[in-house]
Amino acid sequence: MNIGDNFPAKLPEGPIANKWTSYKDHINLVNPANKRLIDVIVVGTGLAGGSAAATLAELGYNVKAFCFQDSPRRAHSIAAQGGINAAKNYQGDGDSVYRLFYDTVKGGDYRSREENVYRLAEVSANIIDQCVAQGVPFAREYGGLLDNRSFGGVLVSRTFYAKGQTGQQLLLGAYSAMNRQISRGKIKMYNRHEMVELVMVDGKARGIIARDLVTGELERHSAHAVVIASGGYGNVFFLSTNAMGSNVSATWKIHKKGAWFANPCYTQIHPTCIPVSGDHQSKLTLMSESLRNDGRIWVPKKKEDVEAIRAGKLKPTQIAEEDRDYYLERRYPAFGNLVPRDVASRAAKERCDAGFGVNATGEAVYLDFAAAIERYGKEQAHIKGMDENDMDLVRSLGKEVIKTKYGNLFQMYEKIVDDNPYETPMMIYPAVHYTMGGTWVDYNLMSTIPGCFVIGEANFSDHGANRLGASALMQGLADGYFVLPYTIGDYLASDIRTGKIPTDSKEFDEAEKSVRDQLEKLINNKGTKSVDYFHKKLGKVMWDKVGMARNAKGLKEAIDEIKAIREEFYKDVKIPGSINEYNEELAKAGRVADFLELGELFAKDALHREESCGGHFREEFQTPEGEAKRDPKFQYVAAWEYKGEPSKAVLHKEELKYENIEVKERSYK
Amino acid sequence: MDLKLKIWRQKNASDKGKMVNYDMKNVSPDMSFLEMLDVLNNELIEKGEEPVAFDHDCREGICGMCSLQINGRPHGPDTAITTCQLHMRKFKDGDTIYIEPFRSKAFPVIKDLIVDRSSFDRIQHAGGYISVNTSGNTQDANAIPVNKDDADKAFDAATCIGCGACVAACKNSSAMLFVSAKVSQFALLPQGQIERKTRAENMVAQMDAEGFGACTNTGACAAECPKEISLTNIARLNREFLKSKFG
Ligand SMILES: Cc1cc2nc3c(=O)[nH]c(=O)nc-3n(C[C@H](O)[C@H](O)[C@H](O)COP(=O)(O)OP(=O)(O)OC[C@H]3O[C@@H](n4cnc5c(N)ncnc54)[C@H](O)[C@@H]3O)c2cc1C
Ligand code: SF4
Ligand code: FES
């Protein structure tokens, strides 16, 4: 079945540049006095949920917000490093709303919706204005104006940043906006609370069951609409750059209640992360893409150099320039080290698979700053009227410049690896980082469940099969500050006379009972293995067979193996303690149980998509040069409907039309 | 390497709590401190015992969720890092390691090593924002130029992760460093000027109401702060506070 028959995506008509404006002009509004009669639940207080909660409260709605950390300030968004895009064209380098739109659609390998992406580009500039007004301390030039840097897959400088802590500063901005509303009593904040079920009344989302993670108690919360902003599901791989608690449960619960899950297999593997060091590893650390502005990626040209490096007999700094293979610059001269992430990750894998990896496990490449240190050092020496040929001086001046740009990242690297990246190149390898897939939503950001909206990384909407760097922060804030606050009004306009939704209904009873049954089943299981054991096992299957390169045989095996792990989990998992107390193992078990279902749907989606596009690379479908080969047959969004278990999920296709951009081969050469 | 751990165990807020000994064998120097605790916990679970509860999330030094007083120091023996960034190579074979929660009257223990830091949030509710609407139309970002030096200083103050190590390090349990970081960020920016007086006053009043102690300028906070928030911020907060009273 095609989307459009039953669930219109509600894409507005008219020329692309006017769609959002004219759409806003014609949707239903809720008058300020009536907003006071309406309750909205927001699950998640990262950039998307935090900005939405603040804005909805400011508009007058009664907001209840939930997060599982001890404060909204700790959401995973805090970890975003490199920056946020906006079509401001402050650099006068030819940027525009259209160009940001074009770059994002092309970067997504022509697998996203034109309408959504154009709207995102359109509101992007306003995000920066908003954040500056809130006191977000972005990096500035000496003249006092905002500075920019470049990210992969684009030819302009449109990324705003706050050193390597852009996500932190933006999230603290949204947090401060929330605090203002919390102090006014317009947001009621529930920290250390986890949404464990969606409650539906007469086919509409009308509330949630939440578990207080401190006392273990189940609580009922009702509202006229539920907004899910729970982030991405990269942790299905166990190892990823996501925070430890990041999970799929909120979106998986709504999926099981009827929200379609779109493109689960679109995952971003980020090229520059610190390689795995051993079995004890609990997560992977990103080294921001911004480093590729100044770092050059290479491996040795000669196998004997590789051997010598692995044996500790040779240092990378001792390898002569002509013996290095700057493979991105070689293969992609136009974009060089700044090709998009999917391309850079595959290129690293290709070199490592060919035997050129530079660490003990053969899974690492170099990211080298020596050339940038020299270049900046010379520039500084020149500006300061010092000796440009004194290499020691030049290097020390250059290091200072690098430090001001990336100081915290270099420190992070040094603490983890115990190696000084100012002196020797960093070692990096791709790691799971972001999920483009997520809940299917229409132009209003509403899922297929009426009244259940999904924003931020949790939805599927804007990045197609690959997200460009610095665009997730943009999307989260666009959704929360500028899109949802309008579109939710269109839905809520019919609810002004509904009155409070009672929580003593049979729907709430049933939802709470089903949660309690699941918790009891888990806690009473007399197994022998910890939750982590199963999570790691799942992660290994995902990485080996559903990771950077996929093929039909591996995917079929993965589906069977994941099913088997799921069965084993329910037989043999062991959870200490009890339900009515702080019990992290129990909370984790619930999340892993959901990952074990999602993982299977993920592999199923990857198997059905017989093409390569963006982050989804099927070995059977590649060009002779090893690039992803798209197939026009698959120019659609794959939205899965839950039917009892992942293997029975039903596929719905939303055809993608490109009227403003010509679909071309995606080339960065 | 082999280690002896002495860990604070406390079932819940009303339990008295005590130190419990654990032996850890074969710890790799490349493990992070929290990964070492993960290994301990998995062993405990498989033995049928309760794992040690501790807070953590990002595990890269930015969310501020992790805490722990390790051998008497908040975030352990290294400087300018959080507990999650601490690696076992900082310890040696045979070491005994004391692991306790952050201690302060304003941070009551929830369980084992987890404390309740919601007092920090309430201080932010009292004034840690600029009252600008997010849904309205703001002026162009570059219409508010900011001197780079001020912008950089505001940024440095704004990197506080709200972990509470400053409080745990202070013999008076003072939260001055934390409060001064937010007040300074806004005091240094043109956007923050309008509410400058009330902000300092309200945030300090809330800090006092939460039961944090007075600042006697020992500097212990800045010495243990993982983000190296500078003591000059406390001096600035004092000036801001005086100005709000008498200025
Ligand atoms: C290391 C790193 C660096 C990055 N750098 C950049 C960058 O430079 N630029 C960029 O654009 N993007 C970057 N990204 C991506 C970007 O940070 C994320 O995509 C984005 O922050 C997601 O925001 P969000 O609001 O959708 O979700 P999150 O920030 O993940 O927030 C999720 C929220 O949901 C809550 N939650 C989840 N489940 C539940 C539940 N069941 N019940 C209650 N609450 C729940 C959590 O408590 C949290 O508050 C980076 C990502 C990583 C991992
Ligand atoms: S001032 Fe430093 S120690 Fe105190 S909360 Fe902030 S980051 Fe933590
Ligand atoms: S876990 Fe986030 S700072 Fe340590």
Side-chain angles (χ1 to χ4, degrees):
Chain A
M1 188 181 87
N2 287 348
I3 293 176
D5 304 352
N6 279 355
F7 293 98
K10 300 209 187 87
L11 304 178
E13 298 296 324
I16 189 104
N18 300 343
K19 282 189 190 201
W20 176 231
T21 314
S22 80
Y23 185 73
K24 276 192 299 185
D25 289 344
H26 294 100
I27 56 178
N28 293 314
L29 296 178
V30 180
N31 91 33
N34 285 332
K35 289 198 181 97
R36 267 181 269 136
L37 306 175
I38 291 182
D39 305 328
V40 180
I41 283 174
V42 179
V43 177
T45 54
L47 283 179
S51 57
T55 308
L56 293 171
E58 190 180 291
L59 289 171
Y61 297 108
N62 309 310
V63 176
K64 283 182 171 185
F66 296 80
C67 74
F68 65 74
Q69 292 92 345
D70 71 339
S71 164
R73 68 179 294 152
R74 310 207 198 282
H76 167 57
S77 294
I78 200 94
Q81 301 172 347
I84 176 165
N85 290 328
K88 276 285 196 189
N89 195 25
Y90 280 163
Q91 305 303 324
D93 55 4
D95 201 8
S96 63
V97 168
Y98 182 84
R99 191 174 279 276
L100 174 53
F101 159 65
Y102 172 87
D103 287 343
T104 308
V105 171
K106 175 185 170 193
D109 218 353
Y110 307 94
R111 289 292 175 268
S112 50
R113 252 188 222 149
E114 277 195 342
E115 287 78 2
N116 285 58
V117 178
Y118 196 92
R119 175 174 67 187
L120 175 66
E122 204 176 329
V123 302
S124 67
N126 209 223
I127 297 175
I128 304 302
D129 300 339
Q130 184 59 56
C131 294
V132 167
Q134 284 170 348
V136 170
F138 284 119
R140 292 184 179 263
E141 297 168 346
Y142 282 97
L145 302 181
L146 294 162
D147 194 18
N148 291 115
R149 53 168 60 143
S150 293
F151 261 58
V154 307
L155 297 169
V156 294
S157 244
R158 64 160 74 98
T159 306
F160 294 79
Y161 67 100
K163 269 201 189 164
Q165 289 112 299
T166 317
Q168 179 193 30
Q169 295 310 317
L170 294 172
L171 184 64
L172 293 181
Y175 169 68
S176 73
M178 281 185 78
N179 285 336
R180 179 167 165 241
Q181 300 305 327
I182 292 173
S183 73
R184 291 176 60 212
K186 288 304 292 181
I187 297 180
K188 187 147 174 33
M189 185 65 219
Y190 294 84
N191 297 319
R192 294 196 193 266
H193 274 66
E194 182 153 319
M195 165 194 165
V196 283
E197 189 56 288
L198 179 78
V199 182
M200 289 175 58
V201 180
D202 298 334
K204 292 179 177 169
R206 290 301 199 191
I208 63 169
I209 305 292
R211 183 160 176 268
D212 178 335
L213 295 174
V214 175
T215 63
E217 268 162 51
L218 296 181
E219 297 172 359
R220 301 175 178 199
H221 296 275
S222 70
H224 298 88
V226 176
V227 179
I228 305 286
S230 56
Y233 52 85
N235 277 349
V236 65
F237 288 83
F238 184 69
L239 287 182
S240 83
T241 62
N242 289 8
M244 299 297 287
S246 298
N247 68 87
V248 76
S249 292
T251 46
W252 196 253
K253 297 296 185 214
I254 64 168
H255 174 58
K256 290 173 92 168
K257 291 265 164 163
W260 296 353
F261 206 107
N263 305 328
C265 81
Y266 288 169
T267 311
Q268 178 158 82
I269 316 263
H270 197 294
T272 56
C273 303
I274 300 180
V276 175
S277 78
D279 292 340
H280 53 262
Q281 193 103 22
S282 60
K283 75 154 283 172
L284 295 170
T285 303
L286 174 75
M287 287 287 107
S288 168
E289 175 158 318
S290 59
L291 294 172
R292 288 197 273 144
N293 273 282
D294 286 315
R296 298 177 70 195
I297 294 181
W298 63 277
V299 291
K301 269 188 195 156
K302 296 193 238 156
K303 280 266 168 70
E304 61 264 31
D305 286 349
V306 173
E307 298 303 327
I309 283 177
R310 288 188 193 168
K313 289 187 202 135
L314 193 66
K315 293 204 175 93
T317 44
Q318 294 167 321
I319 297 182
E321 211 39 46
E322 62 273 17
D323 291 330
R324 300 176 176 196
D325 177 12
Y326 294 95
Y327 57 85
L328 289 176
E329 297 170 27
R330 165 169 63 77
R331 287 178 65 180
Y332 308 99
F335 284 72
N337 290 294
L338 281 173
V339 291
R341 294 175 177 176
D342 52 338
V343 177
S345 289
R346 276 199 296 278
K349 182 175 188 308
E350 189 276 328
R351 282 295 78 194
C352 291
D353 288 352
F356 292 92
V358 292
N359 67 353
T361 60
E363 293 196 328
V365 300
Y366 289 126
L367 177 62
D368 195 336
F369 295 88
I373 287 175
E374 228 179 279
R375 188 177 75 240
Y376 285 123
K378 287 214 158 131
E379 195 179 294
Q380 286 300 310
H382 184 84
I383 293 171
K384 298 193 165 121
M386 296 160 119
D387 182 3
E388 286 170 55
N389 296 315
D390 178 346
M391 285 318 285
D392 284 342
L393 171 79
V394 163
R395 265 187 225 111
S396 93
L397 290 171
K399 281 177 201 162
E400 276 312 307
V401 176
I402 291 289
K403 189 168 176 197
T404 56
K405 292 187 146 197
Y406 315 111
N408 77 313
L409 299 172
F410 275 55
Q411 187 232 21
M412 229 169 162
Y413 182 87
E414 186 166 357
K415 292 292 175 192
I416 294 174
V417 183
D418 203 22
D419 215 1
N420 179 352
Y422 292 99
E423 303 296 340
T424 180
M426 287 183 178
M427 283 198 274
I428 50 147
Y429 196 68
V432 173
H433 178 60
Y434 181 88
T435 48
M436 282 76 67
T439 310
W440 184 90
V441 288
D442 64 15
Y443 191 67
N444 285 340
L445 304 180
M446 190 164 86
S447 69
T448 46
I449 297 176
C452 180
F453 294 77
V454 184
I455 60 177
E457 190 174 338
N459 74 23
F460 89 107
S461 69
D462 297 348
H463 308 293
N466 173 58
R467 174 174 71 76
L468 289 181
S471 286
L473 302 183
M474 170 172 72
Q475 183 222 332
L477 290 179
D479 286 359
Y481 282 140
F482 300 119
V483 179
L484 179 84
Y486 283 102
T487 58
I488 201 171
D490 193 44
Y491 173 81
L492 291 171
S494 63
D495 257 330
I496 53 180
R497 267 176 282 279
T498 306
K500 266 232 161 321
I501 309 291
T503 56
D504 55 2
S505 62
K506 75 168 193 318
E507 288 85 355
F508 272 93
D509 290 345
E510 279 163 13
E512 188 181 316
K513 182 171 181 308
S514 79
V515 173
R516 199 175 298 283
D517 290 349
Q518 162 85 349
L519 289 171
E520 272 165 12
K521 179 164 147 198
L522 287 170
I523 204 94
N524 293 328
N525 206 43
K526 298 279 172 278
T528 61
K529 303 215 169 62
S530 71
V531 177
D532 281 358
Y533 167 86
F534 297 97
H535 196 178
K536 284 185 183 172
K537 210 164 163 180
L538 167 68
K540 185 159 170 26
V541 173
M542 292 297 295
W543 181 246
D544 291 346
K545 298 185 174 163
V546 203
M548 251 191 293
R550 306 160 174 177
N551 60 52
K553 178 171 167 285
L555 290 167
K556 283 182 196 145
E557 287 165 8
I559 290 173
D560 292 339
E561 289 168 25
I562 294 168
K563 230 182 262 169
I565 301 171
R566 196 164 67 229
E567 278 162 25
E568 193 194 343
F569 172 83
Y570 281 106
K571 270 196 214 117
D572 203 21
V573 71
K574 175 166 189 164
I575 297 155
S578 64
I579 295 181
N580 287 321
E581 64 171 343
Y582 182 95
N583 188 340
E584 189 177 359
E585 286 302 304
L586 183 58
K588 253 185 356 198
R591 297 173 195 163
V592 171
D594 292 333
F595 278 137
L596 283 165
E597 293 183 10
L598 161 79
E600 187 182 336
L601 183 68
F602 190 130
K604 183 178 157 111
D605 184 45
L607 179 64
H608 116 279
R609 191 167 279 281
E610 295 184 324
E611 64 162 353
S612 295
C613 59
H616 169 64
F617 192 74
R618 283 283 299 266
E619 285 165 344
E620 306 95 314
F621 309 99
Q622 51 180 307
T623 66
E625 300 89 56
E627 305 293 343
K629 198 163 144 209
R630 264 184 286 117
D631 183 338
K633 268 207 316 282
F634 287 91
Q635 190 169 303
Y636 61 76
V637 175
W640 297 92
E641 181 183 1
Y642 187 77
K643 289 280 184 195
E645 55 180 281
S647 61
K648 295 194 185 127
V650 171
L651 175 66
H652 301 268
K653 298 176 183 173
E654 178 191 342
E655 305 294 336
L656 292 165
K657 294 195 194 76
Y658 293 95
E659 287 163 357
N660 299 278
I661 286 182
E662 187 196 345
V663 179
K664 283 198 288 218
E665 197 190 328
R666 180 165 162 257
S667 166
Y668 292 95
K669 294 198 192 293
Chain B
M1 55 187 159
D2 295 346
L3 301 166
K4 284 199 183 325
L5 306 180
K6 292 182 180 290
I7 304 180
W8 182 259
R9 302 301 309 258
Q10 178 175 344
K11 211 159 165 38
N12 50 44
S14 50
D15 181 31
K16 260 179 62 194
K18 59 171 193 292
M19 297 299 282
V20 177
N21 298 334
Y22 299 92
D23 283 325
M24 278 294 286
K25 301 234 177 303
N26 296 322
V27 174
S28 150
D30 288 333
M31 277 183 185
S32 74
F33 196 85
L34 296 184
E35 284 167 351
M36 187 269 298
L37 290 181
D38 289 342
V39 172
L40 171 70
N41 276 346
N42 276 314
E43 286 174 12
L44 291 177
I45 293 165
E46 287 178 9
K47 273 198 292 191
E49 292 175 36
E50 281 226 20
V52 180
F54 60 90
D55 264 333
H56 65 105
D57 198 27
C58 74
R59 295 211 177 180
E60 49 187 61
I62 192 74
C63 73
M65 188 94 180
C66 65
S67 51
L68 306 192
Q69 192 88 354
I70 302 168
N71 289 340
R73 292 182 60 185
H75 296 305
D78 210 346
T79 51
I81 54 162
T82 53
T83 292
C84 61
Q85 292 176 293
L86 177 65
H87 277 70
M88 296 314 291
R89 61 180 83 94
K90 288 281 159 193
F91 299 90
K92 45 181 204 313
D93 189 39
D95 275 359
T96 299
I97 308 177
Y98 290 82
I99 310 172
E100 292 170 85
F102 280 179
R103 304 269 187 204
S104 160
K105 194 171 86 190
F107 291 165
V109 172
I110 291 176
K111 181 175 185 177
D112 296 340
L113 303 171
I114 296 182
V115 297
D116 178 353
R117 287 170 287 194
S118 53
S119 48
F120 266 18
D121 273 344
R122 289 189 293 273
I123 296 175
Q124 297 293 342
H125 301 162
Y129 49 80
I130 289 171
S131 297
V132 35
N133 275 359
T134 59
S135 49
N137 280 327
T138 41
Q139 57 184 328
D140 183 79
N142 264 349
I144 318 174
V146 185
N147 162 317
K148 180 165 166 53
D149 190 42
D150 286 340
D152 287 349
K153 281 200 195 111
F155 169 81
D156 287 342
T159 58
C160 163
I161 56 174
C163 62
C166 44
V167 173
C170 175
K171 65 180 168 49
N172 309 320
S173 276
S174 167
M176 278 293 271
L177 194 63
F178 167 75
V179 176
S180 73
K182 197 53 148 201
V183 168
S184 288
Q185 177 194 345
F186 291 146
L188 284 159
L189 294 173
Q191 303 92 303
Q193 298 312 308
I194 294 168
E195 295 161 291
R196 199 166 162 176
K197 282 187 177 177
T198 47
R199 177 175 305 114
E201 212 174 291
N202 294 344
M203 290 181 78
V204 168
Q206 188 64 35
M207 170 177 83
D208 293 342
E210 295 290 348
F212 291 101
C215 172
T216 53
N217 289 310
T218 66
C221 51
E224 296 295 358
C225 171
K227 297 295 142 182
E228 302 182 293
I229 302 294
S230 148
L231 286 175
T232 56
N233 291 304
I234 295 191
R236 189 177 295 106
L237 171 58
N238 283 328
R239 287 199 301 276
E240 293 291 313
F241 186 71
L242 286 176
K243 256 195 264 172
S244 75
K245 290 284 179 219
F246 308 109

